[in-house]
Amino acid sequence: MSSKIKIGTRGSKLALWQANFAKQALADIGVECELHIIKTKGDKIQDLSFDKIEGKGFFTKEIESALLKKEVDLAVHSMKDLPTAKVEGLVVAAVSARENPADWLIIKKSSCQINNTLSLPENAKVGTSSARRKAMLLDLCPSASTHDLRGNVPTRLRKLQDGDLDAILLAAAGLIRLELNLSEFEVVKLHPKEFIPAPAQGVVAYQVREDDLDLRRKLKEIHHPEVAECTNVERKVLNLLEGGCHMPLGVFCEKDEMGNFHAIAGYAATWDSPIIRKRLSYSTNFQLADDLFKHLQS
């Protein structure tokens, strides 16, 4: 292993926060790193919603390619963006602690109706390009209409501020990590067991070449196995459904203090179809994803 690890990352503020977080975590165990910004397909195509972009891994594929070519040594991803299919020669060697996994509804104060469902006005215009968020929102608030919204987190907040949308949906993790001032908006913090998040939402994944055993050993020192126990369940359900970021699927798993696993999934055939919700609790995560998948199919 060279003296300085090259971290491959996207260039958005949130991606750079995650990459710098990884850089500091590795510095704390004596591993020096430098960042290399890589533009992905998802960064280049800003005029289409996620479900209209062909293929999977449109926020990760170019970084994985650089990893395989040895242009970088470590890829840092939002785990929810990482496809579940194994890439030959690469492995996820570690995951971060989990930030708040929930979605938050950010509402213009002039649009907020505190006594209405989700504090939204009738016929609210809500911005999101996520098929999952569209499906979850319409399930809870059928009168709302969804409008495609792309761009990084600060850009989306500006579009809410300056445009005719009443609200937007964003991951709590990104808002917390970027320490954004949301005082000019009303914030509805959606419960992850009701408004089910994307598999592995709030978790950062550290991906390396499979044969880079030295770096894999180092990453074990910053790995959070208790998080992996839950994200493995969430991502396996996604894998069994053969879905990607565009699939209207939410899965959330947590482990209680007694060691039991509780998982909930919400799945829709399309973003405007009814959601099927299933919950299971097991004393182990073994077979939990498989059985949850079977229940969603029944």
Side-chain angles (χ1 to χ4, degrees):
M1 190 168 66
S2 62
S3 58
K4 189 173 279 194
I5 298 301
K6 296 176 183 176
I7 296 177
T9 176
R10 295 171 57 215
S12 72
K13 285 187 177 180
L14 182 55
L16 290 172
W17 183 97
Q18 292 174 168
N20 279 303
F21 178 82
K23 181 181 177 182
Q24 184 57 55
L26 286 164
D28 290 343
I29 60 169
V31 179
E32 193 177 356
C33 303
E34 61 186 25
L35 304 189
H36 289 251
I37 295 173
I38 298 167
K39 205 160 193 176
T40 67
K41 183 178 181 180
D43 297 314
K44 294 170 186 173
I45 301 174
Q46 288 290 320
D47 58 338
L48 295 176
S49 62
F50 298 139
D51 54 351
K52 294 182 179 72
I53 302 177
E54 291 184 9
K56 298 177 184 177
F58 39 79
F59 284 128
T60 59
K61 196 170 183 179
E62 287 82 357
I63 303 174
E64 290 178 323
S65 177
L67 194 52
L68 287 167
K69 292 175 184 174
K70 299 189 176 182
E71 295 167 354
V72 298
D73 305 300
L74 168 64
V76 175
H77 308 285
S78 289
M79 200 173 192
K80 70 184 179 70
D81 294 336
L82 192 61
T84 57
K86 178 170 167 45
V87 177
E88 195 65 35
L90 300 182
V91 64
V92 173
V95 300
S96 73
R98 192 169 208 167
E99 186 49 89
N100 187 331
D103 286 308
W104 286 357
L105 184 64
I106 315 299
I107 309 173
K108 275 183 180 172
K109 289 202 172 177
S110 59
S111 296
C112 184
Q113 300 288 328
I114 200 73
N115 293 320
N116 286 0
T117 302
L118 302 182
S119 297
L120 288 171
E122 289 299 314
N123 305 310
K125 296 180 180 178
V126 181
T128 177
S129 287
S130 159
R132 174 190 60 82
R133 287 179 180 143
K134 290 177 185 179
M136 293 286 171
L137 176 71
L138 295 177
D139 185 59
L140 296 172
C141 194
S143 75
S145 60
T146 60
H147 301 261
D148 286 337
L149 181 70
R150 292 290 311 278
N152 60 35
V153 174
T155 298
R156 293 187 206 190
L157 288 169
R158 279 196 300 273
K159 287 180 178 178
L160 172 60
Q161 187 179 37
D162 301 336
D164 63 353
L165 294 172
D166 295 300
I168 62 175
L169 281 159
L170 293 171
L175 295 164
I176 293 167
R177 284 168 174 156
L178 293 176
E179 300 180 333
L180 294 171
N181 182 358
L182 301 175
S183 60
E184 64 183 288
F185 305 107
E186 294 294 334
V187 180
V188 176
K189 298 179 179 181
L190 303 165
H191 198 289
K193 292 180 183 176
E194 181 179 37
F195 202 99
I196 308 168
Q201 185 159 297
V203 180
V204 180
Y206 305 130
Q207 187 183 37
V208 298
R209 288 182 294 279
E210 199 163 11
D211 61 3
D212 193 345
L213 301 180
D214 194 5
L215 183 52
R216 288 176 67 177
R217 278 191 291 270
K218 290 289 185 186
L219 287 166
K220 278 186 179 180
E221 297 183 46
I222 63 169
H223 178 51
H224 289 261
E226 74 287 353
V227 174
E229 285 182 311
C230 292
T231 57
N232 286 346
V233 172
E234 296 167 10
R235 283 171 57 79
K236 187 170 183 184
V237 174
L238 178 62
N239 180 263
L240 289 168
L241 283 165
E242 299 180 346
C245 301
H246 60 281
M247 178 174 276
L249 172 72
V251 191
F252 178 58
C253 179
E254 58 185 351
K255 186 179 182 181
D256 68 23
E257 57 197 25
M258 302 296 291
N260 299 308
F261 291 85
H262 308 279
I264 180 168
Y267 171 66
T270 60
W271 67 268
D272 53 355
S273 300
I275 289 181
I276 301 164
R277 294 171 185 265
K278 299 293 178 182
R279 298 172 188 256
L280 288 177
S281 293
Y282 283 9
S283 59
T284 170
N285 63 357
F286 180 69
Q287 284 292 122
L288 179 52
D290 303 80
D291 290 351
L292 200 53
F293 166 71
K294 288 173 188 172
H295 280 73
L296 289 172
Q297 297 289 289
S298 60

